[in-house]
Every structure is written in C-alpha cells, then in structure tokens.
Amino acid sequence: MVVEPRVKDFICTTAHPVGCAANVKNQIEYVKSKGKAEGPKKVLVIGASTGYGLASRISVAYGYGADTLGVMFEKESNGRRTASAGFYNTRAFEEQAHKDGLYAKSINGDAFSVEIKEQVINTIKEDLGKVDMIVYSLAAPRRTMPDGTRYTSVLKTVGEEYSNKTLVLKDNTITEAHISSATEEEINATIKVMGGEDWIDWMKALNDAGVLADKVITVAYSYIGPKITFPIYAEGSIGQAKKDLYKSCDIINERWPQIKAKVAINKALVTQSSAAIPIVPLYITLLYKVMKDKGLHEGCIEQMQRLFMDKILDDSQVDENGFVRMDDWEMRDDVQSVVAERWDTVSNDNVKEIADIDGYWEDFYNMFGFKIDGVDYSADVDIM
Ligand code: NAI
C-alpha cells in the first residue's frame, strides 16, 4: 500500500512504517555521534514510543549502552489502516537495538492498569533482574481506575476564562482562542490522569516486587514556559496536574530513600500531545524561529541526549526547586524577549515571516514518518 498523510485537526491518522523507522534511525545516529557516558544499564521507560519518551529510550540505549524495557499504548495495523506511529517507532527501535546487541522489549497496554504493572515486573524479573532507572513520560488523555472509574483530562484554565491568539493548524491563520475554565471535577480528573499518583503507584509496585536496584533514579517530565502560556499551561488544569507531579516527586524521595526522583522541565516541542493544546502551537512557531536564528534550537532527541548525558546524573545541575532545567535555552532572556515582542505583533500579514510555520509542520509530519529525507513515499509498503 502507498501510505499518505491524512491530517485531521492536530493529528495525523496515518503513519508511514518506513518513515518512522528512518526517524528512529536518525535519532539513534544523533545519539551515537555524541558519544557515550557511564550511566544506568537497565532502564524502564513508561511512555516509550513517541516524543520525549522515545527520545529518552534512544538516549539511554545508545548513550549509556542500556538495556531498555518500554511501555506504550499504541495501535497495531488491522491490514487496512496503518498502525500508529508509536507502534512503528517501537518496532524499528527494537530491531536496531537487537542488531546492536542491546536488550529491548516493549509492552503495549495501559500503563495505568495493575495488569500492565504486573507484566512489566514479571518481564524485569525474567529478563533483567532489576532496573536502575525509570523514565516516566506518559502523556495520556484518560485514565481508567481498577474499579472501572474513568477520568478524562482537560486543557482549560483555572478560575478566569482566557482569550489570546492561536494558530489555526488547518490553514496556518491566526485567530482568537477562547479557553473556558475547568470545573472542580475537571481539575481533579486532570490531576488523576496527568498528576503523579500513577508515578508513585509504579515506584511502589516496582519496590514491593524487589525489582529496583540499590541505587535507582526516576525522572518525570514537565513544562513551565513563559507568561503567555501560563493561563493554559502552568496555571491551567494541566499545570495543577504538574504541581501534583512535583509533590509526588517529593513523596517518592521521602518514602524510599534508595530512590532518587527528579523532575525535568523540558522545552516546548511539537509532539502528539502538545499539538492538542490551544495557543501553544503559535508560541512554538515563534519560539522555533528565534531559537533557530540563534543556533539554539533542539528537538526531542537533542533535549534528551543532553538531559541524560550532561544533567540527570549530576545532582548539582538543578534549580532552586530541585528541577532539572532542560528549558534553560528556551527561557533565556534574549530568546523570550523576542518571542514576547513578536507575540504582540504577529498577525495573518506577517505570520509566515516571523513564525516558523514550515518548521512546525516539518516536525509534525516527521512524527508520523512523513517528509523524511531519503524515504520513497511513492513505493508500496507493508503496513503490518
Ligand atoms: P507523546 O504524546 O509524544 O508521548 C506519550 C507517550 O505515552 C507515548 O509513548 C504513548 O504511547 C504513551 N501513553 C499514553 N497513554 C498511555 C497509557 N495509558 N499507557 C501506556 N502508555 C501510554 O507526549 P510527549 O509530549 O512526549 O509527553 C511526555 C511527557 O513530557 C509528558 O509528561 C509531557 O507533559 C511532558 N512534556 C512535554 C512537552 C512538549 O512540548 N511536548 C514539554 C515539556 C514536558
């Protein structure tokens, strides 16, 4: 079948298996080109198939030479529809890792569930013995509890409603986005899904099962960003969940002294999750342009390679809150001042000049395996 991108709002409903494999290979090559470092050797990555989690997995495998066990929630192909990008990414990663003599196995299922936690623990016991690093990189729209209760996260403000400019992705125009405020129930549901409770559950389950090494590091990801995005992100419903994640980090550190838990604040990047947040894509296009002009731009793999090789193992590399700041370049005054100035002036007349619309779409298509150099998109591919 010849696979073409089918874009609907902020998602592409098809994925290209050869393109996804090329994307993974490019990320592996990048990490290899940067050299190795001493580090954890058996790593569990929860949310390992796309975005920051996939880049984390590649960074630890090819940076530390680590064996990796990944957890993801991805769709397989039914023969007519393609699989999801994360499915193809994971298969490509495993194939390459095996060729390179690295252990790599993945479990496809709901990370929030007790069953998947048990399956992961059994796999660690059988194959790895213990793990010495756990990366928690879930970005999920909903969570089903063991009793069947379902929580759905929302991207809304807390308190006042908020209006600001946004990019209409279907035609690259600027319009006004109106974001309604979340109810108490919606805030609590967002905390249940994107907060830290499940991270704690994972660490408890792994610790109780005796599959954690004597010294183990765990890291989860968050975003802070500039004032423009505060109402929708840091101070919005998702921000409340992230505050819960920070508290959970402290709880893990207090409860289990042999575990070192950290939160890394990452850069705003195009991923399947961030594309869904109103206002953020316009901010990203303005940010990309400024960071590329200054030679500071990074994608997921550059961010994660730098996190694992330069920062995560060095306890001095944290801010006053104990966070590892991977948004250090994004938040530089000389970057943010230009972004803020352009935010005020961006309109339909100048958006193509002052915002990196092409760069946004390039990242977007690349995530699903499209528009990657060297891939023949006119060729028939096996989507299974
Ligand atoms: P993503 O959408 O690319 O990746 C999400 C991962 O979670 C995928 O591997 C997916 O299969 C997995 N997943 C989702 N639901 C699952 C479930 N129920 N069970 C098992 N696996 C499941 O997202 P992205 O952007 O890489 O986000 C990862 C983390 O990074 C999140 O905590 C996010 O808040 C954070 N972050 C993202 C930033 C961005 O700009 N994209 C910036 C800073 C932090």
Side-chain angles (χ1 to χ4, degrees):
M1 176 200 278
V2 172
V3 182
E4 288 184 352
R6 228 176 281 153
V7 178
K8 241 177 120 190
D9 301 325
F10 47 78
I11 193 85
C12 179
T13 58
T14 53
H16 199 282
V18 179
C20 287
N23 194 357
V24 166
K25 193 152 189 281
N26 290 342
Q27 294 193 43
I28 291 175
E29 288 310 319
Y30 176 78
V31 175
K32 278 163 86 174
S33 77
K34 292 286 177 181
K36 291 198 157 214
E38 251 330 292
K41 286 283 181 274
K42 291 169 200 274
V43 181
L44 168 64
V45 183
I46 302 160
S49 53
T50 55
Y52 276 121
L54 172 66
S56 303
R57 185 176 201 181
I58 294 172
S59 296
V60 298
Y62 286 89
Y64 300 148
D67 292 338
T68 57
L69 177 58
V71 182
M72 67 202 184
F73 207 25
E74 299 293 346
K75 273 202 205 85
E76 289 187 44
S77 166
N78 61 5
R80 280 172 289 118
R81 292 173 66 110
T82 69
S84 57
F87 180 87
Y88 293 135
N89 290 340
T90 302
R91 190 176 58 188
F93 171 79
E94 285 185 3
E95 275 174 17
Q96 191 57 47
H98 295 160
K99 273 189 207 151
D100 295 326
L102 294 165
Y103 170 96
K105 214 180 237 188
S106 309
I107 291 174
N108 193 6
D110 184 4
F112 292 118
S113 71
V114 173
E115 295 75 28
I116 290 296
K117 289 185 176 79
E118 279 171 4
Q119 217 174 304
V120 165
I121 286 166
N122 289 337
T123 308
I124 296 172
K125 280 183 180 162
E126 280 163 27
D127 297 353
L128 300 169
K130 290 176 190 279
V131 287
D132 49 6
M133 180 177 263
I134 296 98
V135 177
Y136 189 83
S137 186
L138 276 195
R142 65 190 66 84
R143 173 178 175 190
T144 306
M145 305 302 287
D147 68 1
T149 314
R150 284 185 114 201
Y151 294 101
T152 302
S153 67
V154 297
L155 292 160
K156 293 189 178 180
T157 63
V158 170
E160 300 278 291
E161 293 185 356
Y162 182 65
S163 298
N164 210 328
K165 292 172 188 175
T166 197
L167 183 68
V168 183
L169 290 169
K170 73 171 186 285
D171 57 10
N172 300 325
T173 55
I174 309 284
T175 185
E176 187 95 340
H178 303 283
I179 299 148
S180 56
S181 64
T183 62
E184 200 69 21
E185 202 182 335
E186 286 174 325
I187 296 168
N188 289 335
T190 308
I191 293 171
K192 276 278 177 197
V193 182
M194 287 299 288
E197 188 180 60
D198 182 61
W199 186 21
I200 298 177
D201 287 353
W202 268 102
M203 297 316 296
K204 179 175 176 358
L206 295 164
N207 185 65
D208 289 353
V211 295
L212 294 180
D214 292 343
K215 277 194 178 159
V216 52
I217 300 176
T218 183
V219 60
Y221 301 138
S222 183
Y223 181 67
I224 296 177
K227 279 208 178 86
I228 316 159
T229 63
F230 274 9
I232 182 66
Y233 204 98
E235 289 167 1
S237 51
I238 180 73
Q240 306 313 305
K242 292 301 184 185
K243 280 181 195 151
D244 184 75
L245 186 84
Y246 309 153
K247 267 193 252 149
S248 305
C249 183
D250 294 339
I251 291 172
I252 294 170
N253 280 319
E254 281 156 22
R255 207 173 281 175
W256 299 288
Q258 79 280 22
I259 304 174
K260 190 173 281 171
K262 292 187 180 183
V263 170
I265 310 293
N266 296 345
K267 178 191 178 189
L269 281 176
V270 183
T271 66
Q272 294 189 36
S273 300
S274 69
I277 310 177
I279 295 173
V280 167
L282 178 59
Y283 168 71
I284 288 180
T285 58
L286 293 169
L287 177 75
Y288 272 28
K289 176 86 177 161
V290 177
M291 291 189 81
K292 284 181 185 175
D293 287 349
K294 288 182 180 289
L296 293 173
H297 179 68
E298 295 176 297
C300 286
I301 196 63
E302 289 85 359
Q303 276 265 297
M304 294 298 96
Q305 191 277 340
R306 193 158 67 90
L307 170 66
F308 289 101
M309 295 307 116
D310 298 350
K311 295 218 180 200
I312 197 82
L313 303 178
D314 178 355
D315 291 340
S316 68
Q317 299 231 30
V318 289
D319 70 4
E320 64 283 5
N321 297 308
F323 298 146
V324 185
R325 300 304 295 255
M326 297 313 300
D327 63 345
D328 45 357
W329 300 352
E330 170 181 356
M331 298 311 291
R332 267 170 47 163
D333 286 345
D334 62 326
V335 171
Q336 285 301 324
S337 59
V338 184
V339 173
E341 224 177 270
R342 291 185 181 172
W343 182 272
D344 289 339
T345 56
V346 70
S347 68
N348 283 323
D349 297 332
N350 62 10
V351 65
K352 294 215 168 64
E353 289 134 55
I354 64 171
D356 186 17
I357 301 280
D358 292 346
Y360 186 94
W361 281 110
E362 187 184 318
D363 277 12
F364 181 89
Y365 281 109
N366 287 178
M367 272 193 306
F368 301 94
F370 295 106
K371 301 192 191 223
I372 291 180
D373 287 346
V375 176
D376 178 4
Y377 290 103
S378 63
D380 257 330
V381 288
D382 178 2
I383 60 166
M384 295 304 279

